[in-house]
Amino acid sequence: MLVVIGTVLHRKFSRIPAALFQVLLGGVFGVLMPSLQFDFEPELFLLAVIAPILFFDGYHASRTAFWTYRWPILLMAFGLVFITVVGLGFTIHVLIPEMPMAVAFALAAVLSPTDAVAVKSITKGMSLPKGLMTILEGESLINDAAGIVSFKIALAAAMTGVFSIWEGSSNFLVVALGGALVGFIGALLIVQIRLLLRSFGFEDVYSLVSIQIITPFVIYLIAEAFHVSGILAVVTASIVYGIERDKLQQTSLQMQVVANNTWSIVGYLLNGFVFVLLGFLLPEVWAGLWQTHEYPFFFIVILTFVIAMALFMIRFLWVYVLYPIFQGKKEVSLWFMEEFNQEAASGGVQYRRGYYSLFAAVCGIHGTITLATALLIPDTMNDGSTFPLRDTFLFIAAGVVLISMIAATIFLPILGKSEVKPETHQRSMTAVHADMIQYMIEQMEKKKQNRIVGFSHKPSSRSSSVN
């Protein structure tokens, strides 16, 4: 109910993201219902909430666009995650010496994933630099998995008291590559089962879509049974499913409609649920900080702003240094100071290097996965002692999410207006070609629907020639 109300408010006040309304409504609900408690089983939360959210994102992703910008996406999804976990982890440990190094690295891993859904809601109607939204979507899909894997490795080190960057890095590679392999093989097998059923004349759309719905849960459980990343396995499986969806000769139109509608509803509810849950837990986290006196409340607020700024600077510098690669070039130099003028997809819009980096940094909004991963922090350690600075950990994670959303809501429209130049009426051949293909598809679908309704109407010779 709160998810829907937040969406209604967003429609009324479109400048404010629905996620912020959902957080606010969750906070109000938490204050009004202090006796209501949520207890989390971490693995169940990953399986029931995170896995389907990531599968939904990957299923609807554009593989062609991702391949075009594959190097920027990989550099943002893996390179930036690694730099963030290590650099921000040490920074957090310096700022909060009482926080163990492994816990600081776990917090940095929680803060590394970004949320492309929030970016889309804020930048709707704006003109972004060419390919930036595709890069952000690909980064969000892959760095979610990379961040969660890094978090689980750091959390295991915190729970056991044994931490090594070299061991953690090698473990990351094994777990990540193993998860991707399990997801690829598992999804291929399940897709082949669906195709085999159809080859035998089994065309029940709801049964076939149901097989797709249970796929992320099955893939996740199989990967975890092999002690590799269930999250990366689910992401890989979603991409395989997306490839199958794109092959129209293997997927009926009706199945696409049912599957897309089903996953859209599931993704909408789960994403909204996590934001409402964040708001619901905020009063409890703040109360915990006041009661435990881990740190003075206002000191933690200042720390949260400092950490958010450090996260922003790491992202800005990473994009600034790698800007030539984002523009399709191969050479990278920190001292490459001349400005590139690039035309955006909308045509005639020019973006300079510093502006592009600033835009990309502000678009690094944190959301669903950051919140959901932070909620996996246990109450106690393996020896039964209280998890160190747990309330501080949750407060900083929630605070960085809110700061990133509010900052993007305020500054992205300003950045768009300040740099976007008037668009020309000229259109690229690619855009015209895409419109032609879309028109042909629409005409073919209408023709198909006419045939389904009945065959009594015989088109005239003129209409036949037009078709």
Side-chain angles (χ1 to χ4, degrees), residues 371-387:
L371 306 179
T373 309
L375 295 174
L376 300 179
I377 290 292
D379 294 320
T380 59
M381 303 287 284
N382 288 339
D383 58 4
S385 61
T386 303
F387 192 90

Side-chain angles (χ1 to χ4, degrees), residues 407-428:
T409 303
I410 296 174
F411 293 111
L412 280 181
I414 298 175
L415 289 173
K417 290 180 180 179
S418 63
E419 191 71 11
V420 173
K421 297 180 180 179
E423 296 185 4
T424 65
H425 294 286
Q426 298 178 352
R427 303 185 64 210
S428 66

